[in-house]
């Protein structure tokens, strides 16, 4: 059985969509999830159910349902009892909606989700594609839904597809007079009373320059068609954005209407559990009073309304400048250091006097003018703006005056710049929200979606930490962002609780403010303006000021300066790690994506930000392989070319040993490091680390066995924590001679405790390994004490290496037997017990303790009483050797 349904309080778009879907799924049964709006109920009574095969939910056998078709709804929370069907494994989901699906919705077998004015538009297109023609009555119902959700095709959310749908429905015989009669209904006396209250309470709220009207009313009886009242109020007062709140009996009903692109009422009322689209939405609130709703609304608006954009919001700071008296050669050095294409020119007092582009500098240097002062060739005529200048004016300057960037000036000094790239990215990002924006592997730019991810994918401990950070940021008046891998993995659905936060300000001062509010310790690093915050449970949070860095030579550590968020993100390794998530203020939940990170996440591509990335930091080559294998991504073609070029030019050999070792340790700590090692070989990176290292199919199998041994060990009860990477590193070294391992450890600057494991203890273990291998199948004949004498004293890493390397299953089982049973088995008696039994202090005492342990290992004694009896027999019958005397 197929079930068609829509959201509770169904409107005409729901009804029209159900009628269209009934044509697409003729065998389906339509079930309303809850009550319909009064106007819809009245229409259904007068028009014989519009051809729908209607049934009540209680008439449906859930076990018989095989497919659920949702129209004009994107959340399980809005389909009432039918949500239970999505828990049934046999039920497949089909979805048609003009809002992106909520995160709580299962993956649909078929989904058509596009940003159009009404869901009827999508279904009309489906009918046209399948050459299905609705009857005149059906077309009229569909036109009703289209006109209602697009405001008679006048809402800003209306698209060309909506007009095409209207034309199709008119061709099918839709009756516009009937549509007008249904939508233009006379008001009842009670509705007039509510409208009067709304007019009396109307107030204007300004959010960052955007004006939104709020109105409220309360009546004791139920009043239908509140959407009609919202329309009338908006038209009477000529309002661009309106939200009304009406208490009816024990509930508060919210209706929102908006003509402003910055006021998405669907998102705003989604905060109250409702839904809709940017131009029209509604919600029903049961757990708040009308007063509480009206008190909450301004707070929600402050967080969700997008302000009118000005130069201050888009400009990059701090401004990189050159003195008018400095040489063109010095200007060229600054352009190269900061990866920029233009500079502002300042006089001796810091005042703005000109602009200088890279093109001018390069041509002047080419003509032998490198030592000439900047003032000779700077541009003296240019457009400039203030921080409050609207972006439209900035755009006009860039177009009309053909400027690469526009300086933002305050009191005669440049406080920022707006570049052509900044403006283009802003225009594209804002325009994209008006186009169809289907989910990309769960990744969307929608703030509500990101906030839901934070709520559903993070543990309560981390959510509370983010809330605390936001509160401190508000008090301190700074903007903070989560950046890097935490944001990337949040969108990919990968667990990552390692939160990195950047502060547009002084990170150390922010950390100290956080310390005053929370129970934590702060470890500041003044040189880099960073801080580590350590909480009582051991959790560590990294805080950093937004900064940029530049390299004086390949492979050197970077020099760091404070900078804007954009420049901070530009210094990162790969595009997928350049996302910034706003954690406070009105932009909370917004993603900043300057470098196409979301596109690359969708494409599963790993790309560097600039062509010298591997030259400036060659360890990024090892990091590239680690991310590629961990995430299942692929190096972009250009990035792969840059990496191979950096390998051939030997840049990795210029990096300090400790930095190479750090990346190698991280790579070997991945869940499946064997694949990463194979990739290192393919790219020539393993040879770059050491020409003596090899990795082939045989070692790949050893890595697989080592992974199994590690997993087995960690499932054992009460074992000490184990670092994975030393086990894999031992596998990698297994065929090297001790002298070669010594050289490699010295080359990598291996810490002494690990050097002892890899060189000395590994060398000492080989005879025992070879003896067990020679025994092969016969190892099962070894008694416990013989096995313990072979393996006692070996670190657990070397025991797991033995399990990974052996070719004989009995040998692997012998290692397992030793680790799980023999390794920690000791006699219950100690030296004092033996002395009380009459054993003299001296060599005999040690000999008897060793033999007593052998007796336990071999199963000759089990209890304390048996041990006591065994010692008494030994003392009574033993003839002392010369050494024991």
């Amino acid at each position: 059985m197929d079930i068609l349904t829509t959201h509770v309080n169904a409107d005409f778009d729901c009804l029209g969509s159900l009628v269209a879907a009934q044509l697409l799924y003729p065998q389906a049964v339509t079930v309303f999830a809850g009550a319909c709006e009064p106007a819809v109920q009245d229409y259904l009574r007068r028009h014989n159910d519009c051809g729908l095969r209607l049934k009540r939910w209680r008439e449906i056998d859930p076990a018989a349902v095989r497919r659920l078709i949702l129209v004009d709804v994107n959340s399980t929370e809005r389909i009432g009892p039918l949500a239970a069907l999505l828990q049934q494994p046999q039920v497949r989901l089909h979805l048609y909606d003009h809002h992106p699906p909520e995160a709580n919705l299962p993956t649909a077998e078929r989904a058509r989700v596009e940003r159009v004015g009404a869901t009827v538009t999508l279904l009309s297109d489906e009918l046209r594609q399948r050459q299905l023609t609705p009857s005149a009555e059906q077309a009229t119902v569909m036109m009703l839904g289209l006109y209602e959700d697009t405001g008679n095709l006048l809402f800003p959310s209306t698209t060309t597809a909506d007009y095409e749908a209207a034309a199709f429905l008119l061709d099918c015989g839709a009756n516009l007079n009937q549509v007008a009669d249904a939508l233009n209904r006379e008001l009842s006396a009670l509705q007039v009373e509510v409208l009067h209250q709304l007019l009396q309470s109307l107030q204007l709220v300004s959010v960052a320059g955007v004006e939104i009207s709020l109105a409220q009313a309360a009546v004791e009886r139920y009043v239908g068609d509140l959407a009609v009242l919202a329309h009338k109020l908006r038209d009477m007062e000529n309002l661009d954005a309106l939200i009304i709140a009406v208490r009816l009996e024990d509930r508060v009903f919210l209706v929102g209407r908006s003509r402003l692109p910055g006021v998405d009422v669907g998102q705003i009322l989604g905060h109250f559990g409702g839904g809709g689209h940017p131009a029209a939405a509604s919600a029903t609130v049961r757990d708040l009073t009308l007063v509480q709703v009206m008190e909450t609304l301004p707070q929600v608006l402050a967080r969700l309304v997008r302000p009118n954009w000005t130069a201050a919001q888009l400009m990059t700071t701090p401004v990189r400048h050159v003195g008018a008296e400095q040489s063109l050669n010095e200007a060229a050095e600054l352009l190269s250091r900061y990866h920029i294409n233009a500079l502002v020119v300042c006089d001796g007092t810091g005042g703005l006097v000109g602009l200088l582009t890279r093109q001018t500098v390069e041509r002047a240097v080419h003509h032998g003018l490198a030592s000439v002062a900047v003032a000779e060739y700077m541009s003296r005529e240019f457009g400039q703006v203030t921080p409050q200048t609207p972006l439209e004016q900035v755009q006009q300057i860039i177009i009309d005056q053909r400027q690469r960037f526009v300086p933002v000036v305050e009191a005669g000094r440049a406080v920022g710049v707006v570049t052509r790239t900044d403006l283009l990215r802003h225009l594209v990002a804002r325009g994209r929200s008006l186009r169809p924006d289907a989910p990309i592997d769960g990744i969307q730019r929608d703030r509500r979606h990101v906030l839901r991810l934070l709520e559903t994918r993070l543990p309560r401990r981390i959510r509370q930490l983010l809330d605390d950070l936001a509160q401190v940021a508000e008090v301190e008046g700074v903007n903070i962002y989560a950046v890097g891998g935490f944001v990337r993995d949040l969108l990919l659905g990968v667990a990552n609780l390692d939160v990195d936060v950047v502060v547009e300000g002084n990170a150390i001062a922010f950390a100290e403010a956080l310390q005053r509010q929370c129970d934590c310790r702060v470890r500041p690093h003044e040189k880099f303006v960073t801080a580590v915050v350590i909480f009582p449970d051991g959790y560590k949070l990294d805080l950093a000021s937004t900064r940029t860095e530049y390299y004086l030579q390949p492979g050197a550590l970077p020099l760091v300066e404070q900078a804007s968020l954009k420049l901070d993100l530009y210094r990162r390794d790969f595009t997928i790690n350049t996302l910034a998530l706003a954690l406070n203020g009105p932009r909370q939940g917004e993603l900043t994506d300057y470098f196409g990170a979301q596109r690359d996440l969708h494409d599963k591509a790993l790309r560097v930000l600039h062509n010298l990335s591997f030259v400036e930091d060659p360890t990024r080559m090892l990091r590239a392989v680690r991310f590629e294998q961990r995430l299942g991504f692929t190096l972009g073609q250009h990035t792969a070319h840059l990496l191979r070029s950096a390998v051939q030019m030997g840049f990795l050999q210029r990096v300090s040993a400790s930095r190479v070792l750090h990346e190698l340790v991280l790579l070997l700590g991945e869940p499946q490091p064997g694949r990463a090692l194979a990739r290192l070989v393919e790219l020539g990176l393993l040879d770059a680390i050491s020409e003596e290292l090899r990795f082939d199919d045989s070692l790949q199998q050893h890595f697989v066995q080592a992974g199994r041994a590690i997993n087995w060990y960690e499932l054992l009860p009460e074992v000490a924590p184990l670092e994975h990477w030393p086990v894999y590193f031992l596998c990698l070294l297994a065929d090297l001679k001790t002298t070669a391992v010594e050289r490699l450890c010295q080359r990598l600057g291996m810490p002494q405790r690990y050097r002892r494991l890899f060189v000395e203890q590994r060398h000492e273990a080989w005879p025992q390994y070879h003896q067990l291998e020679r025994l092969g199948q016969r190892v099962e004949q070894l008694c416990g004490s013989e096995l313990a004498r072979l393996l006692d004293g070996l670190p657990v890493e070397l025991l797991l290496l033995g399990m990974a390397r052996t070719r004989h299953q009995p040998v692997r089982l012998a290692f397992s037997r030793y680790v799980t049973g023999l390794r920690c088995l000791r006699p219950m008696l100690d030296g004092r017990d033996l002395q009380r039994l009459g054993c003299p202090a001296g060599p005999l005492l040690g000999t008897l303790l060793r033999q007593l342990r052998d007796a336990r290992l071999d199963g000759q004694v089990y209890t304390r009483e048996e041990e006591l009896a065994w010692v008494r027999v030994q003392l009574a019958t033993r003839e002392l050797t010369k050494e024991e005397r």
Side-chain angles (χ1 to χ4, degrees):
M1 175 186 290
D2 292 350
I3 298 291
L4 275 169
T5 195
T6 186
H7 62 73
V8 294
N9 296 322
D11 56 18
F12 278 117
D13 190 26
C14 297
L15 182 61
S17 299
L18 287 170
V19 168
Q22 186 77 77
L23 294 170
L24 295 172
Y25 301 87
Q27 302 304 316
V29 173
T30 297
V31 179
F32 283 105
C36 301
E37 288 188 355
V40 174
Q41 293 177 7
D42 181 61
Y43 192 91
L44 285 171
R45 281 194 298 269
R46 291 186 290 108
H47 293 86
N48 299 320
D49 300 335
C50 308
L52 296 175
R53 301 179 65 219
L54 284 171
K55 282 196 174 184
R56 299 180 184 275
W57 171 241
R58 60 174 177 264
E59 299 173 307
I60 302 297
D61 177 11
V65 178
R66 292 294 177 269
R67 184 161 52 184
L68 179 64
I69 303 105
L70 300 182
V71 297
D72 200 37
V73 64
N74 61 12
S75 169
T76 56
E77 298 171 3
R78 302 190 70 204
I79 58 174
L82 278 76
L85 291 176
L86 294 174
Q87 305 301 319
Q88 304 295 327
Q90 80 278 7
V91 176
R92 295 164 295 158
L93 174 64
H94 286 202
L95 175 67
Y96 300 88
D97 196 16
H98 62 135
H99 323 108
E102 296 287 350
N104 62 358
L105 205 62
T107 303
E109 180 187 65
R110 172 172 173 74
R112 180 155 184 192
V113 180
E114 297 176 18
R115 292 277 185 142
V116 292
T119 304
V120 163
T121 298
L122 303 178
L123 291 160
S124 297
D125 186 57
E126 292 283 331
L127 293 175
R128 278 181 288 173
Q129 290 182 26
R130 302 188 197 184
Q131 297 183 346
L132 297 173
T133 303
S135 66
E137 182 178 354
Q138 291 168 328
T140 300
V141 181
M142 293 170 64
M143 187 73 88
L144 260 172
L146 177 60
Y147 266 47
E148 183 184 66
D149 252 32
T150 61
N152 299 334
L153 300 175
L154 294 176
F155 283 169
S157 58
T158 307
T159 66
T160 54
D162 297 304
Y163 283 95
E164 289 168 359
F168 166 70
L169 295 174
L170 276 176
D171 288 340
C172 294
N175 187 327
L176 290 181
N177 289 327
Q178 194 171 316
V179 170
D181 290 341
L183 294 180
N184 299 319
R185 299 177 291 277
E186 292 185 3
L187 301 183
S188 67
L190 198 52
Q191 286 176 319
V192 171
E193 178 187 338
V194 172
L195 181 59
H196 177 72
Q197 289 188 41
L198 293 173
L199 282 165
Q200 294 295 314
S201 65
L202 193 63
Q203 58 176 311
L204 201 61
V205 175
S206 180
V207 180
V210 179
E211 294 185 339
I212 302 138
S213 298
L214 304 179
Q216 59 179 305
V219 292
E220 296 305 319
R221 289 183 290 164
Y222 182 82
V223 180
D225 290 336
L226 291 180
V228 174
L229 300 183
H231 277 282
K232 287 195 176 292
L233 181 59
R234 184 196 63 185
D235 295 341
M236 290 168 63
E237 299 296 318
N238 193 25
L239 305 175
D240 288 325
L242 168 68
I243 297 175
I244 66 170
V246 182
R247 180 180 63 78
L248 303 177
E249 300 174 344
D250 60 344
R251 302 177 190 178
V252 177
F253 293 83
L254 293 164
V255 178
R257 294 294 184 265
S258 172
R259 298 189 181 106
L260 302 176
V263 182
D264 183 340
V265 290
Q267 188 180 34
I268 292 166
L269 296 192
H271 174 85
F272 295 94
H277 50 80
S282 63
T284 303
V285 182
R286 294 177 173 82
D287 53 352
L288 296 176
T289 65
L290 180 60
V291 173
Q292 290 173 319
V293 169
M294 296 306 293
E295 288 176 346
T296 305
L297 261 173
Q299 302 170 20
V300 176
L301 293 173
R303 186 162 54 85
L304 298 180
V305 171
R306 296 199 302 268
N308 294 324
W309 285 81
T310 62
Q313 294 164 294
L314 206 62
M315 68 183 185
T316 299
T317 59
V319 179
R320 300 300 172 190
H321 66 275
V322 64
E325 74 287 352
Q326 290 181 266
S327 69
L328 289 169
N329 196 48
E330 290 175 296
E333 182 182 340
L334 290 172
L335 290 167
S336 177
R337 174 184 298 177
Y338 296 115
H339 311 288
I340 53 179
N341 294 310
L343 290 164
V344 300
V345 184
C346 298
D347 59 20
T349 64
L352 175 65
V353 294
L355 305 181
L356 187 68
T357 65
R358 180 186 290 272
Q359 185 180 29
T360 299
V361 172
E362 289 177 346
R363 293 178 66 182
V365 171
H366 174 73
H367 290 298
L369 303 172
S371 60
V372 175
V374 164
E376 297 298 324
Y377 294 103
M378 68 184 184
S379 299
R380 299 175 183 272
E381 296 180 356
F382 54 88
Q384 56 183 294
V385 297
T386 68
Q388 294 75 36
T389 302
L391 280 189
E392 290 78 8
Q393 189 173 331
V394 177
Q395 178 179 336
Q396 204 63 38
I397 292 173
I398 287 177
I399 294 173
D400 292 348
Q401 301 186 36
R402 293 184 294 177
Q403 283 184 214
R404 185 179 296 276
F405 71 100
V406 178
V408 183
V409 181
E410 200 166 37
R413 296 176 182 273
V415 295
V417 294
V418 179
T419 68
R420 291 186 304 192
T421 303
D422 292 333
L423 182 63
L424 180 61
R425 185 176 288 110
H426 168 80
L427 293 174
V428 170
R430 287 298 168 194
R432 186 174 289 128
S433 65
L434 302 178
R435 304 178 197 162
D437 193 12
I440 302 176
D441 287 357
I443 302 168
Q444 291 184 358
R445 292 178 177 83
D446 181 71
R447 288 178 64 252
R448 184 170 60 172
H449 179 81
V450 176
L451 289 171
R452 184 178 290 275
L453 292 181
L454 290 171
E455 185 67 27
T456 58
R457 292 184 176 174
L458 297 181
R460 185 174 181 180
R461 168 75 175 84
I462 301 300
R463 295 201 307 270
Q464 183 59 53
L465 172 61
L466 297 182
D467 289 342
D468 292 341
L469 291 171
Q471 291 176 17
V472 174
E474 291 300 296
V475 172
E476 296 298 307
V478 297
N479 295 321
I480 61 172
Y481 303 85
V483 295
F486 170 76
V487 185
R488 175 200 70 218
D489 291 345
L490 176 71
L491 297 181
L492 291 176
V494 176
N496 183 353
L497 304 184
D498 186 11
V499 184
D500 289 329
V501 174
V502 297
V503 182
E504 285 189 322
N506 190 304
I508 296 176
F510 180 83
E512 291 168 348
L514 180 65
Q515 186 179 27
R516 290 192 292 270
Q517 175 162 322
C518 303
D519 182 13
C520 60
R521 293 184 293 113
V522 173
R523 188 188 300 157
H525 301 282
E526 300 286 348
K527 180 180 178 181
F528 298 106
V529 201
T530 63
V532 177
V533 180
I534 306 167
F535 293 89
D537 60 0
Y539 182 82
K540 294 181 181 179
L541 171 71
D542 289 322
L543 291 171
S545 300
T546 51
R547 62 197 195 275
T548 188
E549 56 191 28
Y550 56 91
Y551 298 79
L552 295 180
Q553 61 187 28
L557 289 172
L559 300 178
V560 176
E561 294 180 6
Q562 283 190 260
S564 64
L565 175 66
K566 180 181 178 182
L567 289 176
D568 184 272
L569 297 174
Y570 186 69
R571 70 184 178 83
R572 297 178 185 273
D573 45 17
F574 306 104
T575 57
I576 62 171
N577 294 329
T578 61
L579 285 167
L581 171 60
L583 296 178
N584 71 303
R587 295 182 57 210
Q588 185 179 30
E590 276 191 13
L591 288 175
T592 297
D593 184 1
Y594 289 117
F595 306 107
Q598 292 176 95
R599 175 203 63 207
D600 288 344
L601 287 174
H602 171 247
D603 294 342
K604 298 186 182 301
L606 201 66
R607 296 187 175 96
V608 290
L609 274 73
H610 56 87
N611 291 352
L612 296 178
S613 183
F614 295 132
V615 175
E616 294 178 343
D617 184 0
T619 62
R620 287 173 177 162
M621 294 187 281
L622 299 176
R623 219 172 304 153
V625 172
R626 176 158 55 89
F627 285 136
E628 185 187 45
Q629 299 306 310
R630 180 203 295 176
L631 301 174
F633 282 26
T634 304
L635 287 176
Q637 185 177 0
H638 181 58
T639 297
H641 169 76
L642 294 173
L643 189 150
R644 293 181 189 277
S645 175
V647 170
Q648 292 171 4
M649 297 178 72
F651 285 117
L652 193 63
Q653 284 84 345
R654 305 186 191 186
V655 180
S656 68
S658 60
R659 293 175 63 199
V660 173
L661 178 60
H662 175 72
E663 289 298 333
L664 189 58
V665 166
L666 291 176
L667 187 145
L668 291 173
E670 291 290 312
Q672 294 181 308
R675 296 189 311 192
L677 263 295
R679 186 67 164 141
L680 290 182
V681 172
E682 182 183 342
L683 295 170
L685 279 165
L686 195 61
D687 280 343
I689 296 172
S690 171
E691 293 182 354
E692 294 181 288
L693 289 175
R694 69 171 186 84
F695 188 82
D696 53 21
D697 291 342
S698 174
L699 271 181
Q700 178 72 272
Q701 187 57 36
H702 292 158
F703 267 63
V704 172
Q705 291 294 345
R708 292 172 181 168
I710 289 170
N711 292 337
W712 165 81
Y713 176 79
E714 292 187 329
L715 289 173
L716 297 177
E718 299 180 4
V719 294
L722 175 72
E723 285 187 294
H724 295 188
W725 77 267
V727 181
Y728 289 115
F729 195 65
L730 283 166
C731 287
L732 193 60
L733 303 175
D735 293 329
L736 294 184
K737 294 182 179 179
T738 301
T739 53
V741 175
E742 257 186 305
R743 285 196 301 270
L744 179 61
C745 288
Q746 188 171 357
R747 153 85 177 91
L748 295 174
M750 190 72 68
Q752 185 58 39
R753 64 190 182 100
Y754 293 114
R755 189 176 299 191
R756 182 169 181 271
L757 170 66
F758 299 140
V759 180
E760 299 167 18
Q761 292 177 308
R762 169 181 170 274
H763 178 72
E764 294 166 1
W766 279 133
Q768 289 91 316
Y769 282 176
H770 292 317
Q771 186 171 342
L772 288 172
E773 284 294 285
R774 282 194 298 271
L775 286 170
Q777 300 291 336
R778 291 176 291 123
V779 77
E780 297 172 339
Q781 300 171 10
L782 288 178
C783 60
S785 58
E786 291 172 323
L787 184 59
R789 273 192 290 274
L790 283 172
L791 300 181
D792 274 349
L794 296 185
V796 67
E797 293 87 353
L798 285 167
L799 296 171
L800 296 178
L801 173 67
M803 296 181 71
R805 291 277 301 181
T806 182
R807 295 167 297 169
H808 305 292
Q809 182 64 11
V811 174
R812 188 171 291 114
L813 292 175
F815 278 109
S816 170
R817 176 187 170 199
Y818 174 76
V819 171
T820 57
L822 306 180
R823 182 165 171 249
C824 298
L825 191 61
R826 296 290 181 271
M828 297 181 184
L829 302 182
D830 57 20
R832 291 189 299 273
D833 294 319
L834 267 62
Q835 287 180 301
R836 281 194 289 269
L837 290 171
C839 179
L844 177 60
L845 187 64
T847 299
L848 283 178
L849 283 172
R850 286 192 297 273
Q851 291 177 348
L852 178 58
R853 181 177 180 242
D854 287 346
R856 278 194 66 84
L857 291 169
D858 294 338
Q860 297 173 12
V861 294
Y862 292 97
T863 66
R864 181 181 176 85
E865 288 70 21
E866 290 177 346
E867 288 187 10
L868 288 168
W870 184 90
V871 172
R872 290 189 183 101
V873 170
Q874 294 298 315
L875 291 173
T877 61
R878 190 179 189 90
E879 292 184 9
L880 299 183
T881 66
K882 181 179 179 180
E883 290 78 9
E884 292 171 343
R885 293 193 193 97

